[in-house]
Amino acid sequence: QVQLVESGGGLVQPGGSLRLSCAASGFTFSSDGMSWYRQVPGKERELVATIRSDGSRYYADSVKGRFTISRDNPKKTVYLQMNNLKPEDTAVYYCTDYPRNAYWGQGTQVTVSS
């Protein structure tokens, strides 16, 4: 059974940092890419970052230079380091496999507010 479990969300002040984690099980993690998406109520889910199986990365323009996606294959975990957070980063963050987006975690809430 495939599982993706996100953690690390919370409340942070503008300019602060958080590191999200996504622990995967039930599929061959090292051969798949992974992505982080985010969603706010009433809006479509937005792609934030992707790390492909070869290690190459993609970032949305809105987070480029502030967020870093990485992975630890032995731990089957993908991370999203988020620095210099802004109120507009407030959302529920989800991880998913790339490129199929076949599996999704339950999401973790990130709130950026003073």
Side-chain angles (χ1 to χ4, degrees):
Q1 182 182 357
V2 175
Q3 273 197 315
L4 296 173
V5 180
E6 301 97 337
S7 61
L11 173 64
V12 63
Q13 292 186 344
S17 297
L18 283 174
R19 188 177 82 153
L20 305 183
S21 299
C22 171
S25 61
F27 67 101
T28 309
F29 179 82
S30 59
S31 63
D32 281 343
M34 295 293 293
S35 292
W36 286 96
Y37 281 74
R38 64 188 181 188
Q39 189 170 27
V40 297
K43 292 191 175 182
E44 290 190 1
R45 202 166 285 190
E46 173 193 19
L47 176 62
V48 175
T50 294
I51 184 165
R52 302 178 185 89
S53 57
D54 64 0
S56 60
R57 296 166 172 86
Y58 163 84
Y59 296 97
D61 287 344
S62 58
V63 306
K64 208 171 288 184
R66 300 187 297 121
F67 290 11
T68 302
I69 188 171
S70 61
R71 63 191 298 160
D72 185 331
N73 286 340
K75 292 185 178 179
K76 294 188 177 181
T77 301
V78 62
Y79 303 98
L80 187 68
Q81 177 67 43
M82 306 186 296
N83 298 329
N84 191 21
L85 282 160
K86 303 176 180 180
E88 52 263 42
D89 295 318
T90 295
V92 178
Y93 284 72
Y94 300 89
C95 64
T96 182
D97 59 305
Y98 169 88
R100 294 170 298 162
N101 294 351
Y103 309 110
W104 294 85
Q106 82 289 348
T108 186
Q109 176 70 48
V110 171
T111 303
V112 185
S113 175
S114 55

